[in-house]
Structures are given as structure tokens and as C-alpha cells.
Amino acid sequence: MRILVVEDEENLAESLRQGLSAEGHRVEVAHDGHRGLELALTGGPYDAVLLDLMLPGPGGAEICARMRAHGDPTPVLMLTARDGEHDEAEGLDAGADDYLTKPFSFLVLAARLRALARRAAAPEPTELRAGDLFLDPLDRRCRRGGQDIELTAREVGVLACLMRRPGRAVAKQDVLDEVWDAPHGIDPNIVEVYVSSLRKKVDAPFGRRSILTVHGTGYRMAPDGG
């Protein structure tokens, strides 16, 4: 991937540059908001942007908002030394895709970037099918055997994540990375709650077992709908 890192802590920025370069990515670095904004708007295209929230000059939230105002959909991972729901909301409201609080593990950061890249690269199908189970993720329509099923937005996301990989085991963390806007810090077991709810709606009333548990991993959607 081609990655832009906008971080005013030079040691951290260099560490990120070296680590990401070692993984085969092409990395450009800016140490202040003015240069970061210039590169973000004119230096692309990038596959991902790492933005520090607090920067000399325009902050990360402003840079992200300017990118989105220019129609730039590049995935943005916001970095900050501050911790709190208002700081997280500031970044996400500006259009960031994910949020990571310092200090963080490089392995976690690299995994977040891979998840963002997968989401950006994967085209959203207009409809998904598993036997007689039908799901339109965009319109949030679900149907089984001609009967409409009412699902919440999060339930649609979880079900779509499984239906896109019929017959394959999907880890709980992979579901979190794909469905939750800011999955860091969330207990992966929350996925169990949504899977349980989905089973009550799409399986139990129809006498089916389409969402199967893969012990030690996560879940698997039966390709034939169970």
C-alpha cells in the first residue's frame, strides 16, 4: 500500500515509516498539519492515511474533514495521545474510519490498516444468497422463503460479513473489523450477541441452522442456507 503518515512526534513517525516499509508499504511522512494537508489533498492517491489528531497547524480532524469535502474516500486511521469519547467522536465525525489511542502496538496498527484496506477494496454486492436466505446489505432487506425479516443495521452488517464468505470460518475479530466503525477496545464476544439475535430471526422460525459455530474461531455460514 501507499501510506501517508502525518505525525509531529518525529521518533514515532520514523518508527512507523520503518515498520510499514519493512512490511513492503511505500510510506510518506509529514510532521505538521500544513504539509500533511498539502500531501493529503495533492500528493495522492494513497491507500491509507494515518493522522495524528493534535498537530502543529491544521489538526487531524480538520485534515480528514477537508479530504472528505474534496470527495476523497481514502481510509483514515486517526492517532492520538488523548483518550476519551469526545476525542474519538471528533475524529469519526470528521470522516475517519478508525481510531487508535497512543501508546499502541505496531501489530495492532498494522492489522487495523489491513482491515481498512480490505473494506475499501471489497465491492459491496447488491445482494447475497445462501439457499433461500436473501440479503440486500445496501437497502437493509432480508428475506427467507418469501418472508421478510426485520434486521437492525448492525445485524445486517454481521450477517453480510458471514454471507460474503459461504462455507468459510470467520473469526470474531474479522467481523468486528468489518462491521464496527471503531473496533479497537471492543470485546470480540459482542459478536456472539448479534449472532444469537440473528439465529432467532433468520434460523429458528424456519427450522434452520445456517449460522454455525466454529469452536475456537468464530462462525461459518452454511452455503446452502442450512
Side-chain angles (χ1 to χ4, degrees), residues 70-185:
H70 280 74
D72 186 346
T74 303
V76 171
L77 177 60
M78 198 72 75
L79 308 176
T80 180
R82 299 158 62 187
D83 190 11
E85 60 182 16
H86 294 295
D87 303 318
E88 180 175 352
E90 180 182 1
L92 297 177
D93 286 345
D97 298 274
D98 203 353
Y99 182 97
L100 204 54
T101 302
K102 303 172 187 177
F104 50 79
S105 160
F106 179 79
L107 291 177
V108 171
L109 179 139
R112 296 295 182 214
L113 284 175
R114 290 194 295 271
L116 289 177
R118 287 196 302 269
R119 275 189 266 173
E124 184 75 13
T126 56
E127 61 182 50
L128 298 164
R129 293 184 183 274
D132 65 346
L133 179 62
F134 164 87
L135 178 68
D136 184 333
L138 294 179
D139 290 341
R140 286 176 51 182
R141 291 186 297 118
C142 183
R143 189 169 62 248
R144 171 153 250 169
Q147 181 174 331
D148 291 335
I149 303 172
E150 192 72 28
L151 299 179
T152 67
R154 193 78 75 187
E155 288 169 345
V156 168
V158 173
L159 184 58
C161 181
L162 299 176
M163 292 181 71
R164 290 191 189 101
R165 304 161 177 81
R168 291 168 48 193
V170 182
K172 294 177 184 177
Q173 187 62 54
D174 288 339
V175 177
L176 275 181
D177 288 343
E178 182 170 314
V179 179
W180 270 256
D181 293 327
H184 61 276

